[in-house]
Amino acid sequence: MMFKGRHACRMAQSAADLAAAQSLRHACFIAQTGAASRAEGLDGDAFDAVCSHVLVEERGTGRLVATFRFLPLTSGAEIGRSYAAQYYDLDALRAYDKPMVEMGRFCIDPHAKDPDVLRVAWAAMTSYVDATGVGMLFGCSSFQGTEPQAYADAFAMLKERHLAPKRWLPRIKAPKVFSFAKGLRNRADHTQALRTMPPLLRSYQTMGGWVSDHAVVDPDLNTLHVFTGLEIGSIPPARARALRAVAG
C-alpha cells in the first residue's frame, strides 16, 4: 500500500478488483471515445490474465480513481509477449539485455482532478522498478480519435524532440499508420502541443521518454497510439529524486 494525500495505491487482489479496473477502463477508453461498447461495460482482453493490475483509490471512500496494468519481461528477448508487439515491429528491442516492464491501460477517472492521483501511480511504478532492477518502461500512449490533424502540433513536437534512438526504433507493423516523422513539415506550436498531448505521454517526456516515428490508427478503440519508451537511467536526477520521495 502507498499513500499520497487523499489517495492510496495497491495491487489488485481479486476478481472484483480486476472488474473494477476494467469498468474504469471502459469508462475512459470506450464510453468517452466513441469506440464500440464492450459486453457488461468492461474493457478486458487476453493480456489481463498475465498482467499485474494497480489500483489508485480515494482514502476513506475506496472510490477507484485510476488504474494501470504492467507486464514484466526478463529482457528484450521476451518483447514478443507484449501488447505493443501486436502493433509494432519491435525486433530492435530484442537486443535489450535488462529487465523491462510494459505499462498499459493507464487511465484516470475524468472527475478526479487532484494531481496526486498521477503522482501516486508513478510512485508505485517507481517502487517496483527500484525493487526489481527494471531498465526500461514501455507502452502505448493514446490520442483520442483517429484523425491525426487534430494533433498536428503534438506530433510535430514528438518529431522535433522525442523520437526513439535509432538502435531501439520500432518499425511499422500495423496495417494503418500515420508516419508523422515523414509526413509533417510544420514546426510545432509547443503550447498547443502540450495542451493536446495525453497526460501520461507528457509525464514520459519530462523523464526523458521517447516515441516511435509513427502512430498506429486503431479503429477498434477509436484511437491513435505511439509506442513510448523510457530508459530508467535517462531520468533526470531531480525527477528521479522526486519520484522516490513519494515512493518512500
Side-chain angles (χ1 to χ4, degrees):
M1 185 77 74
M2 185 171 296
F3 303 96
K4 177 66 176 176
R6 298 186 298 110
H7 301 97
C9 187
R10 66 179 178 89
M11 301 295 295
Q13 300 292 330
S14 65
D17 284 344
L18 176 57
Q22 292 172 331
S23 179
L24 180 58
R25 283 161 34 182
H26 189 279
C28 294
F29 296 132
I30 309 299
Q32 285 195 112
T33 66
S37 183
R38 274 38 170 186
E40 300 179 0
L42 301 177
D43 167 53
D45 63 18
F47 288 88
D48 281 337
V50 296
C51 289
S52 297
H53 300 264
V54 178
L55 310 178
V56 181
E57 299 166 320
E58 283 186 344
R59 298 170 68 181
T61 69
R63 183 172 76 94
L64 182 64
V65 293
T67 187
F68 65 90
R69 69 185 184 190
F70 66 90
L71 176 66
L73 305 175
T74 59
S75 71
E78 293 189 317
I79 198 75
R81 294 177 50 216
S82 68
Y83 174 89
Q86 299 177 103
Y87 301 101
Y88 301 88
D89 177 346
L90 301 177
D91 281 353
L93 282 163
R94 292 185 184 278
Y96 192 79
D97 61 359
K98 297 177 183 177
M100 310 174 77
V101 165
E102 181 176 40
M103 187 175 176
R105 285 302 202 268
F106 188 105
C107 61
I108 297 176
D109 185 327
H111 299 103
K113 305 300 184 182
D114 190 333
D116 279 348
V117 173
L118 185 58
R119 292 189 185 110
V120 75
W122 271 115
M125 197 71 250
T126 299
S127 181
Y128 179 84
V129 164
D130 284 347
T132 58
V134 169
M136 185 185 294
L137 293 177
F138 69 94
C140 297
S141 298
S142 297
F143 294 79
Q144 185 174 327
T146 56
E147 296 300 325
Q149 286 308 312
Y151 305 103
D153 289 294
F155 285 129
M157 191 169 94
L158 292 178
K159 174 184 176 180
E160 290 173 14
R161 299 185 176 187
H162 300 289
L163 289 183
K166 288 186 178 180
R167 67 184 184 281
W168 305 135
L169 187 65
R171 303 297 179 183
I172 291 175
K173 181 177 182 178
K176 189 173 183 181
V177 304
F178 172 55
S179 296
F180 57 83
K182 295 180 180 178
L184 290 177
R185 297 290 181 265
N186 58 303
R187 300 287 294 177
D189 177 329
H190 292 168
T191 300
Q192 179 64 14
L194 292 173
R195 185 178 296 122
T196 58
M197 198 83 71
L200 182 62
L201 184 51
R202 289 201 302 268
S203 294
Y204 273 117
Q205 290 171 0
T206 64
M207 292 185 282
W210 44 259
V211 299
S212 53
D213 60 2
H214 63 282
V216 169
V217 181
D218 185 345
D220 180 52
L221 287 176
N222 190 35
T223 188
L224 299 159
H225 58 76
V226 295
F227 183 93
T228 307
L230 173 64
E231 294 171 72
I232 304 305
S234 298
I235 299 175
R239 180 71 166 136
R241 285 194 298 272
L243 288 168
R244 291 184 174 114
V246 178

